[in-house]
Amino acid sequence: MSNVPADLKYSSDHEWVRVEDDGSAVVGITDHAQGALGDLVFVEAPEPGSVFASGEAFGVVESVKAASDMLCPFGGEVLGVNSALDDTPELVNTDPYGDGWLIRMQPADTTELDGLMDAAAYEQFLEEA
Amino acid sequence: MSDKLIFEHSRSGRRASAQAPLAATANDLPEKFLRRSPPLLPEVSELQTVRHYTRLSQKNFSIDTHFYPLGSCTMKYNPRACNQLAMLPGFLARHPLGPESHGQGFMSCMYELQEMLKAVTGMKEVSLTPMAGAQGEFAGVAMIRAYHRSRNDNDRNEILVPDAAHGTNPATATMCGYSTREIPTGKNGDVDIEALKAAVGPQTAGIMLTNPSTVGVFDRSIQEMSRIVHSAGGLLYYDGANLNAILGKVAPGDMGFDVIHMNLHKTFSTPHGGGGPGSGAVGVGDRLKEFLPLPVVGKDGDRYRWLTEADFPQSIGRLSAFMGNAGVLLRAYVYMRLLGRKGMERVSENAALGANYLMKKLQDAGFELAYPERRASHEFIVTLKKEKSELGVTAMDFAKCLLDHGYHAPTTYFPLLVPECLLIEPTECEAKEDLDGFVAAMIAIREQAKTDPEKVKGAPYTMPVRRLDDVRAARQLDLRWQPGAEN
Ligand SMILES: Cc1ncc(COP(=O)(O)O)c(C=O)c1O
């Protein structure tokens, strides 16, 4: 079974979201997603300052099996990206909830975060998939 | 792998006399363009060269030596007759810049090839110039863009692509300046029609479909999809990678497609190992005729001539030197002439028969099918997710083990929406014994995975190289050999 930390929120596209004290939100892909993709070889991140709507593709993760779009779990502005992934994309595999985080965003509308799943709901979602 | 590189056989001053350079005759080159150091070429004898490449060729896992059920790629037998006839001296010695009157024979073959492809696909015009499926896709979507522009319909910025599509589809849309929107596949393998309805709109330039699709089923709702996309003002693109399955039976033109590419190297059996050369000829319906890539061969009375920009002022332009991969086109032409219309029907019938036989045999042996309630088109998907969770061996482990059993691996992990998948395409050429042998190998691998999974995970054992590190290969793209460097 893949690891689903209790303190995060989750999207149906297998992204996790952690809301910080300053109101910003960190986004990554879940342990399940990294496992399904396999070893990552490339992560394409957006420019800080770009603005995305909920559901819009903000970047691409590429593994030896496939390239997949990463979809914004909520709308907002990109505050920062994890530049360590340029040279070491494998961090997403080894530490998806920690050093393998993808981007930090400022949510435009925090009510969009309420639509995300909690850990229990995401585990249920994985079970049914 | 003990083999040396050709460069490692090199000794200064050694040469193959047949290839030895002639004394320089071009002495009018400007000084600044002359090179200062000789080019880095291996200095080897003719015999060393012959041995080196013959040995390499003996390591090939090829259609000529092994069953090669690589799904979506249609690795079928390349008849020797096609090679032989495409290499007649008149074809080989024809200069592409020669006058039309000297190339009437070649041009008549290309003209007839265009006509046969029109007949078999139900399209109105064909251009043979694109040199691979992916380039045919590029030509097709460029024509879709040119069509919308010609009508001043400039706000269409999106191409729809099912999630099962080959990676070249979204890549093509992106190369043509479109964004892509993914349409999910339903549980039964058909495109999710409700999702399609929700996705089309005034921004839709078109949809790229593969039918039979890359999950190996014929999408039954194609006419409805055609209606939905056309009524929104979008066009339908047909990815012809799976044309083998319907040859002589159903025509994409009749399904409502506006533009199609055909991988002649798949359906029409020209060689396509190692990335080429291929041919991605395109066919179009009435809406896109004006935009075809050039040249096309035309016929006035009994003379053939090149149709150019003067005939097609709105053409998207040229995609290849001259006529594309002329040698490949000739092979496809001969293949079609040898088969005839009845023969083409037998191709798709036997391709479907072989796939369904193999599918049923594997199912009877306890392997799980991704779409068990569907009949296979010409290929099908086995999912090894049970083997992975119960035995700890993956689709990739099975693939590598198959090599040791003398079978080329099926396509693995594509389409990605099916976990641990093998996409298996036997083609119409294989004998029943070979299909049965493949099933026996799959069963033997599973038995071994039960008793000795580590052995399976370590495969292959009998190949020139062991398990390759595909992650490192993708992360470190620098492959340049340099003399004296640690290679
Ligand atoms: C479904 C599908 N579409 C497109 C292509 C691209 O064709 P090509 O490899 O000739 O560029 C392929 C090739 O494997 C394919 O399988």
Side-chain angles (χ1 to χ4, degrees):
Chain A
M1 246 346 269
S2 59
N3 177 13
V4 182
D7 56 337
L8 304 177
K9 290 182 172 295
Y10 298 90
S11 78
S12 54
D13 290 303
H14 307 286
E15 273 120 10
W16 57 260
V17 179
R18 187 178 67 228
V19 182
E20 308 280 68
D21 292 342
D22 63 0
S24 70
V26 178
V27 180
I29 66 170
T30 65
D31 186 33
H32 169 85
Q34 71 77 20
L37 283 165
D39 292 302
L40 292 198
V41 295
F42 182 63
V43 176
E44 186 185 299
E47 289 294 324
S50 337
V51 175
F52 294 98
S54 174
E56 213 180 331
F58 69 82
V60 179
V61 282
E62 195 176 324
S63 72
V64 281
K65 290 185 209 160
S68 317
D69 280 341
M70 296 180 290
L71 306 183
C72 261
F74 53 83
E77 184 186 336
V78 178
L79 300 176
V81 303
N82 184 357
S83 53
L85 302 181
D86 291 351
D87 292 326
T88 47
E90 59 269 30
L91 287 174
V92 178
N93 296 114
T94 52
D95 192 9
Y97 300 111
D99 290 344
W101 65 279
L102 296 170
I103 57 171
R104 178 186 294 277
M105 295 192 51
Q106 186 61 51
D109 172 3
T110 49
T111 60
E112 275 183 358
L113 298 170
D114 300 337
L116 298 170
M117 289 177 261
D118 63 15
Y122 182 61
E123 273 182 59
Q124 179 79 21
F125 177 75
L126 288 181
E127 203 100 320
E128 283 160 14
Chain B
M1 191 177 47
S2 60
D3 289 274
K4 292 176 173 177
L5 299 173
I6 185 89
F7 284 95
E8 293 168 315
H9 291 292
S10 184
R11 292 288 174 277
S12 177
R14 194 178 272 165
R15 55 177 45 185
S17 45
Q19 261 84 47
L22 303 172
T25 48
N27 46 19
D28 51 353
L29 292 177
E31 179 67 20
K32 64 176 176 184
F33 293 133
L34 294 180
R35 57 184 308 151
R36 307 270 166 255
S37 53
L40 182 63
L41 294 173
E43 296 179 79
V44 285
S45 74
E46 188 165 327
L47 177 58
Q48 284 180 306
T49 312
V50 168
R51 280 201 187 134
H52 179 76
Y53 287 108
T54 304
R55 283 206 193 114
L56 285 184
S57 78
Q58 287 170 334
K59 296 185 197 301
N60 263 351
F61 222 99
S62 65
I63 316 172
D64 286 351
T65 54
H66 298 88
F67 179 40
Y68 208 125
L70 192 65
S72 204
C73 295
T74 314
M75 305 301 286
K76 59 163 111 166
Y77 174 59
N78 305 141
R80 291 296 176 272
C82 301
N83 270 337
Q84 204 179 349
L85 293 175
M87 289 171 65
L88 291 175
F91 290 136
L92 289 184
R94 188 189 68 93
H95 196 289
L97 290 175
E100 280 172 1
S101 60
H102 288 192
Q104 288 290 303
F106 171 75
M107 291 174 78
S108 76
C109 295
M110 295 299 104
Y111 182 83
E112 285 177 27
L113 178 58
Q114 290 169 187
E115 293 300 306
M116 287 190 288
L117 290 173
K118 279 192 230 173
V120 84
T121 60
M123 305 310 284
K124 295 289 165 49
E125 279 307 333
V126 162
S127 166
L128 302 171
T129 62
M131 298 197 288
Q135 204 187 21
E137 289 177 44
F138 180 77
V141 176
M143 284 190 269
I144 291 178
R145 191 182 54 181
Y147 167 81
H148 291 308
R149 290 222 173 129
S150 74
R151 295 154 47 93
N152 278 326
D153 189 354
N154 293 323
D155 294 335
R156 298 184 183 272
N157 59 5
E158 203 169 79
I159 293 275
L160 305 175
V161 182
D163 56 359
H166 195 256
T168 47
N169 290 186
T172 295
T174 304
M175 287 294 288
C176 290
Y178 287 114
S179 55
T180 54
R181 187 192 291 220
E182 210 172 82
I183 310 294
T185 300
K187 285 247 181 293
N188 61 9
D190 289 342
V191 170
D192 181 340
I193 283 283
E194 293 311 314
L196 175 64
K197 282 185 190 153
V200 292
Q203 78 289 357
T204 306
I207 185 169
M208 299 181 83
L209 290 169
T210 313
N211 199 19
S213 72
T214 55
V215 303
V217 300
F218 187 86
D219 201 311
R220 298 163 292 192
S221 44
I222 178 60
Q223 278 177 322
E224 192 180 356
M225 287 197 273
S226 164
R227 199 185 45 71
I228 293 168
V229 175
H230 278 145
S231 58
L235 299 186
L236 269 80
Y237 183 93
Y238 182 89
D239 179 327
N242 291 341
L243 196 59
N244 207 47
I246 59 169
L247 206 54
K249 297 288 176 184
V250 203
D254 297 337
M255 297 181 217
F257 284 95
D258 299 287
V259 50
I260 111 171
H261 86 258
M262 299 151 260
N263 307 62
L264 300 191
H265 44 285
K266 299 182 180 183
T267 310
F268 301 106
S269 191
T270 67
H272 63 301
S279 170
V282 285
V284 294
D286 285 324
R287 288 191 179 92
L288 297 180
K289 274 182 180 171
E290 316 298 318
F291 308 108
L292 276 178
L294 298 170
V296 171
V297 182
K299 191 176 182 191
D300 295 333
D302 58 359
R303 303 300 292 168
Y304 299 94
R305 70 176 181 92
W306 297 116
L307 302 181
T308 65
E309 286 76 359
D311 306 280
F312 287 91
Q314 296 196 75
S315 162
I316 58 162
R318 301 200 173 224
L319 295 167
S320 56
F322 308 110
M323 193 61 204
N325 279 324
V328 173
L329 295 170
L330 281 168
R331 282 166 178 78
Y333 168 75
V334 177
Y335 180 76
M336 294 181 86
R337 289 295 303 269
L338 288 175
L339 280 176
R341 177 166 168 82
K342 283 275 165 242
M344 290 208 206
E345 288 179 17
R346 284 202 307 275
V347 164
S348 53
E349 286 166 7
N350 286 334
L353 180 62
N356 282 283
Y357 175 78
L358 191 54
M359 178 169 90
K360 193 78 186 58
K361 282 274 166 176
L362 285 168
Q363 187 181 31
D364 291 348
F367 288 100
E368 189 181 337
L369 303 177
Y371 299 97
E373 74 283 11
R374 301 294 302 269
R375 188 194 298 161
S377 52
H378 64 311
E379 60 191 3
F380 60 95
I381 299 178
V382 163
T383 167
L384 298 176
K385 62 172 190 250
K386 193 173 69 198
E387 284 75 5
K388 184 179 177 192
S389 64
E390 290 172 10
L391 307 172
V393 296
T394 63
M396 189 55 80
D397 296 327
F398 266 79
K400 300 294 180 185
C401 251
L402 278 168
L403 299 173
D404 284 333
H405 282 266
Y407 297 98
H408 193 282
T411 298
T412 53
Y413 300 109
F414 169 73
L416 201 62
L417 60 118
V418 180
E420 297 303 320
C421 74
L422 295 180
L423 177 60
I424 304 174
E425 177 179 13
T427 82
E428 69 276 16
C429 306
E430 300 297 328
K432 180 173 171 296
E433 304 86 272
D434 294 306
L435 302 181
D436 291 339
F438 180 79
V439 176
M442 287 290 288
I443 295 172
I445 295 168
R446 192 181 49 197
E447 286 311 308
Q448 186 166 41
K450 288 178 188 160
T451 53
D452 190 359
E454 289 311 311
K455 186 89 198 225
V456 173
K457 284 189 235 174
Y461 297 94
T462 60
M463 295 292 107
V465 289
R466 295 288 302 277
R467 186 83 62 115
L468 298 173
D469 185 349
D470 46 1
V471 176
R472 188 167 150 229
R475 283 187 188 150
Q476 296 177 17
L477 295 174
D478 188 1
L479 281 178
R480 196 161 70 111
W481 182 85
Q482 284 169 305
E486 195 56 45
N487 289 295

